[in-house]
Amino acid sequence: MNLEITEQNVCRLLREAVAEGNIKAYYQPKYDALNSRLVGAEALARWIPADGIVISPDMFVPPLEKTGGITELDWYILEQVCAMVKSQLDNGVTAVPVSVNFSRMHTLENDFIQKLCGTVDRYGIPHKLIEAEITESALADGGESLIDFVRKIREAGFSVAIDDFGSGLSSLNFVKDVPADIIKIDKSLLSSNCEDEKERIVLESIFGFANRLDLVTVAEGVETEQQLGFLRTCDCRSIQGYLFSKPLPEQEYMKLCAETNTQAEVEAGDILFSQAPASTTNLLMQAVFTRYPLIIMCNLTRNSYYMMCYSNFTTTECAASGSFDELIEMGASTMHPEDRHLFTDAFKRENLLDAFAKGETSVTVHARQMGDDGIYRMVETTDYLVKSPHVDDIIVINLSRPLE
Ligand code: C2E
Ligand code: CA
Ligand code: CA
């Protein structure tokens, strides 16, 4: 059978295919980048007519997007996913979260959340086992804003992934503003072995900001060991790609999950061995933060600062970023009147620059500082002076901790 799918006939053909059971959800597993454990899967639609020759989504998703029929497909795939997960739960098989692609067209559906919850609840599945993948495609305008749409899905207990990040349909503003949980890095950003330095810099930066925004990162389209090795050093959380598995028919996927269940728990192994350099750095930072509840990164040359860590410190008044001179003025105003001079003399910008010019590497002061509770406590403040590795700026890393 040779199906000629066009924008004119796609909706009708889809309905017929659904009625005949020719639309199937395939499942592509996602794996933990560090220990290769199965952590989830993405449901991908396959159209399999009577002749058994699979029609790829590239043939039918774009015309469905154009004509609005895509929402019917997505709801149908969700239904299949729910039935599959329910059967896993009923049979005591490990069920990992499954993501479903939701076209932006759904923002035009006023009853989207009711329908989503209604479907999932009809199968009695915990909401945390279903994720929504959403791209920032500008296909549908009007309707609810994507930000509200995503917020409502999350409020209903589902995770939301930003799909295809870096594909050209996504922007940094979108990532900043949309309250998503997961970011999927598009396969177009990965070349066969990540050997191009500029490509690596771009990827490192994307993973860097995604991790700092507390987004779970998933790399898509991972095909080679070299790519995997590099992604590990970027602290990428999970991997989806042919290196581990192609999208699988339901039965094969369920078998895979069942085998995962019967395997003895894979032990985490030596943390220093299994952690990527970027995660060991994070762990080190966590340890440093527990000792120093206030850490400020300052640029003396540019008279600026930002707080790297500012939690459980005696005072909580200070702005997250601003001018260094004002930071010192503000700090001095919270010091005991008898210690104020000591503090400003040590940390005034010109004095610190002088100290650096004389070859000093750090300046430490012990001074009494008033906390939010109105009580003075002895606080140790140390400024470490370093030259920026990138430009000619003089940087200060300020570490502070109460001594009592
Ligand atoms: P997507 O959401 O970005 O899905 C990932 C695509 O990458 C899948 O293509 C998958 O088979 C493919 N892929 C996975 N690993 C690799 C790899 O290592 N190398 C390469 N070259 N490709 C890999 P697929 O299944 O052909 O789907 C294409 C697109 O069609 C999907 O891209 C998604 O945007 C859309 N789509 C598929 N099913 C649905 C659906 O149920 N609803 C909606 N709205 N869109 C769907
Ligand atoms: Ca997707
Ligand atoms: Ca994708």
Side-chain angles (χ1 to χ4, degrees):
M1 187 164 63
N2 203 354
L3 268 185
E4 179 84 33
I5 301 171
T6 63
E7 279 178 34
Q8 283 68 41
N9 67 14
V10 69
C11 288
R12 178 179 55 82
L13 289 177
L14 177 78
R15 267 178 218 145
E16 287 171 11
V18 166
E20 287 158 14
N22 290 347
I23 303 288
K24 304 257 189 260
Y26 271 43
Y27 296 88
Q28 187 173 32
K30 297 175 203 163
Y31 292 88
D32 185 299
L34 290 179
N35 58 24
S36 306
R37 211 180 293 185
L38 178 72
V39 290
E42 174 177 7
L44 292 156
R46 294 289 179 270
W47 188 325
I48 312 177
D51 63 7
I53 298 173
V54 180
I55 305 175
S56 110
D58 294 342
M59 304 297 294
F60 58 89
V61 166
L64 284 172
E65 290 263 14
K66 282 243 171 71
T67 51
I70 191 72
T71 55
E72 273 182 54
L73 174 72
D74 295 345
W75 288 122
Y76 183 68
I77 294 292
L78 175 70
E79 198 82 38
Q80 293 215 346
V81 168
C82 289
M84 188 279 293
V85 173
K86 178 166 167 30
S87 116
Q88 289 187 316
L89 296 175
D90 288 350
N91 292 302
V93 170
T94 305
V96 287
V98 178
S99 57
V100 175
N101 290 283
F102 284 104
S103 154
R104 192 178 164 176
M105 288 280 174
H106 292 279
T107 56
L108 302 172
E109 294 177 314
N110 291 330
D111 59 348
F112 178 82
I113 291 294
Q114 290 89 311
K115 224 167 149 180
L116 177 62
C117 293
T119 308
V120 177
D121 293 345
R122 195 155 21 87
Y123 290 88
I125 295 168
H127 290 193
K128 64 174 193 302
L129 286 180
I130 302 292
E131 288 169 8
E133 290 198 13
I134 295 168
T135 51
E136 191 199 358
S137 109
L139 281 171
D141 276 325
E144 204 173 349
S145 96
L146 211 48
I147 293 173
D148 287 338
F149 182 71
V150 169
R151 186 178 311 117
K152 285 193 186 137
I153 303 176
R154 288 196 62 206
E155 279 168 7
F158 302 96
S159 301
V160 178
I162 298 171
D163 202 2
D164 299 340
F165 182 77
S167 69
L169 294 172
S170 45
S171 74
L172 290 175
N173 247 347
F174 181 69
V175 174
K176 173 170 78 61
D177 296 333
V178 165
D181 309 85
I182 301 158
I183 184 168
K184 298 191 77 181
I185 316 298
D186 194 63
K187 51 184 175 292
S188 62
L189 290 176
L190 284 178
S191 65
S192 58
N193 46 15
C194 302
E195 68 190 1
D196 179 64
E197 195 191 351
K198 283 191 181 163
E199 173 192 319
R200 287 202 305 270
I201 293 171
V202 168
L203 281 165
E204 268 166 10
S205 316
I206 292 176
F207 283 101
F209 83 70
N211 286 326
R212 287 191 64 188
L213 290 173
D214 268 337
L215 291 163
V216 171
T217 49
V218 182
E220 290 190 299
V222 180
E223 296 180 350
T224 67
E225 287 287 349
Q226 286 89 342
Q227 291 172 332
L228 175 64
F230 174 67
L231 290 164
R232 279 181 172 153
T233 69
C234 292
D235 238 356
C236 173
R237 179 80 68 83
S238 32
I239 304 287
Q240 181 183 343
Y242 296 166
L243 177 65
F244 285 105
S245 173
K246 293 203 165 182
L248 304 171
E250 182 179 291
Q251 288 306 319
E252 275 181 50
Y253 171 70
M254 286 175 72
K255 193 163 163 271
L256 180 86
C257 291
E259 282 161 5
T260 302
N261 198 27
T262 52
Q263 268 172 16
E265 277 287 289
V266 189
E267 88 303 345
D270 181 343
I271 192 168
L272 290 178
F273 177 74
S274 61
Q275 297 291 298
S279 15
T280 37
T281 308
N282 277 343
L283 292 173
L284 174 66
M285 290 302 288
Q286 291 305 322
V288 174
F289 290 160
T290 59
R291 179 143 175 98
Y292 295 100
L294 173 62
I295 302 182
I296 316 175
M297 185 65 78
C298 319
N299 187 321
L300 292 184
T301 313
R302 290 169 202 269
N303 189 21
S304 63
Y305 75 89
Y306 80 89
M307 300 286 183
M308 288 188 73
C309 172
Y310 190 23
S311 52
N312 306 320
F313 195 58
T314 52
T315 67
T316 53
E317 295 282 286
C318 204
S321 61
S323 102
F324 182 84
D325 291 344
E326 281 169 19
L327 173 73
I328 298 307
E329 227 174 86
M330 150 81 197
S333 72
T334 62
M335 295 297 162
H336 192 282
E338 289 169 14
D339 295 349
R340 239 167 243 170
H341 259 302
L342 175 74
F343 183 86
T344 1
D345 278 355
F347 297 127
K348 252 189 100 172
R349 207 149 54 93
E350 50 268 40
N351 296 356
L352 285 174
L353 286 167
D354 262 0
F356 180 79
K358 287 187 192 127
E360 285 175 38
T361 52
S362 71
V363 176
T364 299
V365 161
H366 289 181
R368 286 160 290 178
Q369 184 170 34
M370 188 186 284
D372 287 345
D373 53 6
I375 296 170
Y376 281 108
R377 289 183 189 79
M378 189 59 87
V379 167
E380 179 191 84
T381 307
T382 301
D383 275 6
Y384 289 92
L385 301 154
V386 284
K387 197 191 127 332
S388 161
H390 305 296
V391 280
D392 264 345
D393 294 357
I394 311 303
I395 306 296
V396 153
I397 298 150
N398 168 299
L399 305 182
S400 300
R401 62 183 177 123
L403 293 176
E404 46 192 275

